[in-house]
Amino acid sequence: MIRAGGPLLLALSLLSSTAAADAADTLLRRGNGPDVETLDPQQVRSVAAGNVVRDLYEGLLSEAPDGTLIPGVAERWDVSEDGLVYRFHLRDNARWSNGDAVTAADFVAGLRRSVDPATASPSAQLLTPIAQAAAVIGGRQPPSALGVQALDAQTLQIELQAPTPYLLALLVNPAAYPLHGAAAGRTQPAVVNGAYQLQAWVLQSHVELRRNPYYWNHAATRIDRVQHIVTEDLGSEFQRFRAGELDISEQVPAAQIAAMAPALRAQLRVADYLGIYYYGFNLSRPPFDKPELRRALSLAVDRDVIVRKVLASGERPAYAWLPSGIAGAGSAPLPAWAQWSREQRLAEARRLYARAGYSAARPLRTEILYNTHDYHQKIAVVIAAMWKQFLGVETRLRNEETKVFLQSRRERRRTQIFRGSWVSDYDDASSFLDLLGGANPRNDTGYLSARYDGLLATAARSAGDARAQALQQAQQQMLEDAPVIPIYFYVTKHLVSPRVRGWQDNALDHHYSRDLSLAD
Amino acid sequence: MSARLLRRLLELLPTLLLLVTLTFAMLHAAPGGPFDAERALPEATRAQLEARYHLDQPLWRQYLIYLGDLARGDLGPSYQYPDRSVAELIGAGLPVSALLGALAMTLALVAGLGLGIVAALKPQHLLDRLVMSFAVAGLSVPNFVLAPLLILLMAVTLGWLPAGGWSGRPQELLLPVLALALPQIATVARLTRAAMLEVLQTPWIRTARAKGLSERRVLLRHALRPVLLPVISYLGPAAAGTLTGSVVIEQIFGLPGVGRYFVLGALNRDYGLVLGVVLIYGTLIVLFNLIVDLLYARLDPRLRA
């Protein structure tokens, strides 16, 4: 029979490799979704990596538990009259985890590394408001040309291309984190400046952090150790939370929410998120080059049914493109039909459908393309049924594996109607509206409207009310043209154990471990 | 014997080359690339990344580059983990997967043989029927159903065992090993029972009993060895089944093995990572079949030519 000597030795070596932790330490166990691909702030791609990196590093600004911007490494800042020059004054007690001072030069190094094409940072694009950033990212200028400079060790100056009211919100992103001079070979971030530092990183299992005693606000940190635990499987994460192995879950399976016992439901946190689920039309070929047809299909989708019956886990119906409460656009008005009754909407949908030249005798035949997933399929089936019932549209459903789907969508050769989603990295309306800009390579609808692009350009040049107005008008124009069908706004769903204190819901779903504490 | 072993080991090389070539071709034939995402990268960044990983080169050159690296023992970079190499990822995951697989196989053999023999000794009795019902159930319940049920019972309801995760404690492996081994236990038990029933009818067993040997000695000295033959020949497929089964089990129990790299690598078009895992799996399966052949020759004197 098989000799078990090898495996047994291996087992013993694996068992002994775990260090016993001090029992007096407080330990927070956070479900963190998929595996963390990197802990290098300038390389972060996934939400999961962002969650860990926010505990490890701190930017010029940071976020309060409710998501409002607060001073981070920068104690205060001034903005020039024209809004083009920002000067950040760093606090003198900001330290790296090896005791070195965090200097303005470290921020210059971090920002330059983000936009350096050699870094190929997935978030470099966020920094384009900074002078010369686009040219550096495109390889037309060296990274040293970037409009950032250290005036002295504690003063950082950032020059902008154009006034950018949401600049401060961008600076919270890991792409704008500082870089320690000795941080070469960054697989294990040895030197960090956040509230926590790296203790252990076990691929596909967990990242363990411990308090960073050099963090300037170390005295306010409550929890000694934090584990960000890989919880790839939603169902397993839910069971692990129920078994008391997790204090916070990253997700909650939708199917569990309806049947949840009251004790568990009390631990459920559902909150608005800056993200939208939509269907896009391919405008570059018939039949969806006709705006009336697009509007007819949009009006015939009963969002309430999708949100209440199909999803049934707290999502909000989307009648506009901008999530309510997003910064930058004031209180953008909803389109008139959002207030209409179901009958009124359907009557208008039928009128537009007929005007586009379709009827019961000559129905529209189209196709919805989505990436293979039960969830997307359910929604597509329901929407196709609504179109069939109310307008007589013949819809074929077609699913493709995600990467194939993304390629088809981008190529715009075969697609007619496709599934899409957008989640913003920062709280500003421009993030959503820019997605449909004529020149945006991410605009898979092919929507090209001179007025819309003009309004976005106006918004980019202006500030305050003028900007908000331009953004509102842009949304109105876009809803009129209907290159997309907004379906619903995402929500975040966490289970948070009652022993976790200090948790607050926020629209970006950023929860810093330093703001949490554990009850005994 | 050693010449034959050497020849078999040399045969491994063309097999693996073929495997790598086919996998490479299939991976690259799938549309979409590693850097396609819902949030598309800017063109310049994408070009930079593709150049870094030679993805801008013609396919035949990419293939030659990969083979060249492979010949030097370099499995290449992972696209998904920007600062890790494939060798590093597999090196971290393989011990966990190997431990899980080895324990599951051992359990399958020990429990399967034991149950099969017990069932065969009293055919059609209650014990036999119980074992065989268990075997049918073990075969027909897929492990992605079994695993959550085990978690629900043992971790959530009873609270005896952890629901998942890996920090090196033995109790964390109990449920995954059980979930992975159950279908194999069932198969081994059925094979053993059938073989044992057949062997017990043979003249040499009658002779052994006629000699007045104790029943225990008859079973262990004379019956067990021929019974092992079909079980051993099943070990090759069992190893393959355990490897592929571990993909599901590792995900459900949150174990950091290589199984998930296989699936995630394919979904993310992480070509190097998938090729690396395929190579490891391929080598393991070929080696396992080799071991089975050698064991077979040892147990069956007729094959010892």
Side-chain angles (χ1 to χ4, degrees), chain B residues 174-215:
Chain B
L174 220 69
L175 289 183
V177 166
L178 196 61
L180 191 55
L182 267 180
Q184 311 292 357
I185 295 178
T187 310
V188 172
R190 284 163 61 98
L191 284 172
T192 309
R193 177 180 177 272
M196 188 56 112
L197 283 178
E198 202 183 305
V199 168
L200 289 178
Q201 307 299 322
T202 54
W204 76 78
I205 296 295
R206 209 180 317 140
T207 313
R209 284 193 175 135
K211 280 197 297 186
L213 293 180
S214 70
E215 192 62 20

Side-chain angles (χ1 to χ4, degrees), chain A residues 77-281:
Chain A
W77 48 89
D78 0 274
V79 187
S80 66
E81 280 292 305
D82 56 6
L84 286 175
V85 182
Y86 282 66
R87 224 169 250 188
F88 295 90
H89 305 280
L90 312 193
R91 49 181 92 245
D92 52 14
N93 56 349
R95 292 270 179 277
W96 289 97
S97 54
N98 63 354
D100 292 354
V102 180
T103 64
D106 297 334
F107 279 95
V108 172
L111 288 163
R112 282 184 184 164
R113 180 160 180 271
S114 269
V115 293
D116 187 343
T119 311
S121 166
S123 314
Q125 201 73 349
L126 282 175
L127 300 176
T128 41
I130 300 177
Q132 302 301 327
V136 178
I137 295 168
R140 299 185 299 279
Q141 291 274 353
S144 56
L146 187 71
V148 291
Q149 50 177 315
L151 299 182
D152 59 52
Q154 272 167 274
T155 317
L156 177 77
Q157 178 168 303
I158 299 184
E159 286 162 62
L160 304 188
Q161 206 80 33
T164 310
Y166 54 93
L167 180 84
L168 296 177
L170 293 181
L171 295 178
V172 177
N173 190 278
Y177 284 172
L179 178 67
H180 186 267
R186 302 172 57 92
T187 311
Q188 302 276 337
V191 187
V192 296
N193 76 324
Y196 289 88
Q197 54 188 320
L198 187 67
Q199 170 79 30
W201 181 6
V202 183
L203 281 166
Q204 294 194 97
S205 174
H206 63 275
V207 181
E208 184 168 325
L209 313 177
R210 69 187 144 90
R211 293 170 71 133
N212 169 12
Y214 285 101
Y215 179 57
W216 63 269
N217 204 12
H218 173 62
T221 309
R222 308 287 295 282
I223 296 173
D224 300 313
R225 293 190 300 140
V226 177
Q227 284 184 347
H228 289 272
I229 297 166
V230 177
T231 49
E232 190 121 40
D233 187 273
L234 254 64
S236 309
E237 183 186 38
F238 180 68
Q239 302 301 8
R240 288 179 75 177
F241 181 86
R242 284 179 69 195
E245 292 168 26
L246 297 174
D247 300 308
I248 298 169
S249 82
E250 174 66 3
Q251 304 247 20
V252 185
Q256 299 286 358
I257 290 182
M260 215 173 252
L264 203 54
R265 184 172 294 275
Q267 302 172 44
L268 177 67
R269 309 295 298 245
V270 176
D272 289 335
Y273 191 44
L274 292 180
I276 190 167
Y277 186 102
Y278 66 93
Y279 275 0
F281 293 108

Side-chain angles (χ1 to χ4, degrees), chain A residues 15 18 118 204 245 407 410 423, chain B residues 32 36 39 52 163 167-168 257:
Chain A
L15 295 180
T18 45
Q204 294 194 97
E245 292 168 26
Q407 187 175 336
R410 199 179 61 227
V423 174
Chain B
D36 284 317
R39 182 188 296 270
R52 179 187 298 173
S167 56

